[in-house]
Amino acid sequence: MNRRIMLLSTVLFIILSISVSAKSKPKNLIFIIGDGMGIAQIHTGMIKNGNTLNIEQFKHIGFSKTYSYSHFTTDSGAGGTALATGVKTRNGMIGMSPDSVAVKSVLHLAEDKKLSTGLVTACAVTHATPASFVAHQINRNMYEEIAADFLKTDIDVFIGGGRNNFEKRLDNRNLSDELRTKGYQVAHTEKDVAAVKSGKLAGLLYPDHTPAMPERGNFLPDMSMKAIELLDDNKKGFFLMIEGSQIDWAGHDNNADNIALEVIDLDITIGRVLDYARRDGNTLVIVTADHETGGLTIPDGNIKEKRFNAYFSTKNHSGVMVPVFAFGPGAEEFSGFLENTDFKQKIVNLLKL
Ligand SMILES: [Zn+2]
């Protein structure tokens, strides 16, 4: 009798541990970054949106410490590099350690494991945050060098602005032609992007940055879902970075109404990504920021009238912690207090990179 009970409990234990470990490892990971998006920024969007946002669906919530190697208050280069590579570096650097050594990002590591990879951004793809996942340059303003770094990767899908850095260059190279030679479909309009059904895509939809909201329309949610549709073909899984870039720019302008518009746009994207993740069941979604911008506070407002009074303490970034939200297999790893350099190793462990 005892032997049978022993055997049964051993078998049950094995099944349980297999299912737990299998369940807690995602196949896909979608890393969403709101540039300059602190808690107050999120709240402006929530108030303007009628006191509700899709981001409220997240149950795993934490905080990220954003200081860089060189400064209490980071820029997007060092902030993006920390999130992408797990290394604190000097403000202004891209994908490099403080002593100028190139560091692989989670996107590079996912490629090495034959996962599909991509990024979608509401600015030029050569700008600091997206560049941090792809390039290695000592200065974030080296846009043409950063664009050339895209060709040194095997990234499957990238969509945003920055076409001039690929096609109107001082060295007269035409990187879009070189991308075509490498098998990429190069798209210049959202209509072109929509026509792509599979394979590699370079979506360079604007000469410089994408417009701000409301002019940008459904660019970010639509292009993000298109990227997922293309990356989802890979049964090994995928890594996708999505950036809501212009929350930061509205913060630098100390324009809270525009911050709210940009936050609502990112939140619509988050809602559609969560719907996909729920359907898929094997996708981890992480939302955070590289830093807060503007030192924003909201001392007064009216929820019913969807209005608020906003005050800014600076036209630059601030050093306060930023929020972290996670959904899906492994989400519990992202609650609590994190360094902005902790994301990389957690992602490496969860995706088994
Ligand atoms: Zn900024």
Side-chain angles (χ1 to χ4, degrees):
M1 182 62 178
N2 281 353
R3 268 173 66 80
R4 204 178 286 156
I5 293 169
M6 281 282 287
L7 190 63
L8 202 61
S9 54
T10 316
V11 170
L12 273 177
F13 174 75
I14 292 166
I15 292 168
L16 204 65
S17 53
I18 291 169
S19 64
V20 168
S21 65
K23 227 180 333 166
S24 64
K25 299 263 186 214
K27 186 171 66 96
N28 311 316
L29 198 143
I30 302 174
F31 199 1
I32 302 176
I33 298 173
D35 198 312
M37 187 178 75
I39 283 286
Q41 283 75 8
I42 293 172
H43 205 185
T44 63
M46 190 181 281
I47 295 165
K48 281 279 181 220
N49 198 48
N51 193 28
T52 180
L53 286 176
N54 290 308
I55 209 165
E56 294 176 70
Q57 298 170 41
F58 288 97
K59 301 302 174 227
H60 293 280
I61 297 173
F63 291 98
S64 171
K65 303 176 185 178
T66 63
Y67 63 92
S68 73
Y69 175 89
S70 58
H71 291 74
F72 175 85
T73 299
T74 191
D75 80 315
S76 290
T81 297
L83 293 171
T85 71
V87 171
K88 296 253 185 202
T89 194
R90 300 175 194 283
N91 281 14
M93 291 182 112
I94 300 289
M96 289 270 203
S97 67
D99 46 8
S100 303
V101 174
V103 192
K104 276 195 173 185
S105 75
V106 283
L107 188 145
H108 297 129
L109 296 170
E111 262 178 21
D112 294 347
K113 282 283 174 174
K114 303 288 175 245
L115 275 69
S116 288
T117 62
L119 64 85
V120 179
T121 181
C123 66
V125 294
T126 49
H127 207 244
T129 306
S132 297
F133 286 80
V134 170
H136 307 289
Q137 297 296 333
I138 54 171
N139 186 311
R140 55 181 288 171
N141 300 320
M142 299 165 74
Y143 295 122
E144 296 202 357
E145 290 80 357
I146 289 169
D149 281 352
F150 274 76
L151 279 95
K152 295 174 191 156
T153 76
D154 204 23
I155 187 168
D156 297 279
V157 175
F158 56 100
I159 307 172
R163 190 165 61 232
N164 286 349
N165 302 140
F166 290 77
E167 298 178 8
K168 288 203 170 68
R169 297 168 54 88
L170 296 172
D171 63 8
N172 292 320
R173 282 173 69 186
N174 183 320
L175 301 186
S176 289
D177 287 344
E178 295 181 30
L179 285 165
R180 288 186 190 94
T181 309
K182 279 189 77 180
Y184 285 83
Q185 297 151 98
V186 178
H188 285 179
T189 66
E190 290 186 37
K191 203 159 154 277
D192 292 347
V193 168
V196 175
K197 298 301 175 212
S198 64
K200 286 179 165 329
L201 168 65
L204 301 168
L205 306 193
Y206 296 92
D208 192 2
H209 295 299
T210 67
M213 291 304 288
E215 192 192 339
R216 196 172 62 238
N218 290 326
F219 165 90
L220 195 61
D222 289 355
M223 295 300 107
S224 298
M225 296 318 293
K226 184 67 189 184
I228 290 172
E229 177 200 320
L230 295 173
L231 297 172
D232 190 71
D233 290 344
N234 184 338
K235 295 309 161 221
K236 282 201 172 82
F238 68 80
F239 172 84
L240 172 65
M241 194 285 286
I242 298 170
E243 186 203 15
S245 328
Q246 302 198 24
I247 300 167
D248 174 62
W249 304 359
H252 283 295
D253 295 341
N254 284 178
N255 185 323
D257 291 328
N258 285 352
I259 290 174
L261 290 178
E262 295 290 339
V263 165
I264 291 169
D265 175 58
L266 185 64
D267 188 69
I268 291 167
T269 307
I270 289 169
R272 292 178 64 180
V273 166
L274 284 174
D275 290 345
Y276 165 81
R278 229 174 254 113
R279 281 196 310 276
D280 177 74
N282 265 321
T283 296
L284 172 61
V285 181
I286 303 166
V287 178
T288 191
D290 51 352
H291 55 77
E292 191 273 352
T293 301
L296 174 62
T297 180
I298 311 173
D300 190 15
N302 183 303
I303 296 291
K304 277 209 186 67
E305 295 167 16
K306 299 180 183 177
R307 65 174 177 76
F308 53 77
N309 298 346
Y311 290 86
F312 294 88
S313 65
T314 176
K315 282 204 171 264
N316 288 313
H317 302 166
S318 78
V320 295
M321 286 183 292
V322 294
V324 181
F325 307 90
F327 170 89
E332 64 286 352
E333 292 284 330
F334 297 91
S335 46
F337 289 81
L338 305 168
E339 287 284 349
N340 59 359
T341 44
D342 293 337
F343 291 82
K344 181 251 180 156
Q345 198 52 48
K346 288 177 185 288
I347 292 171
V348 164
N349 297 344
L350 287 165
L351 288 178
K352 299 189 215 115
L353 301 180

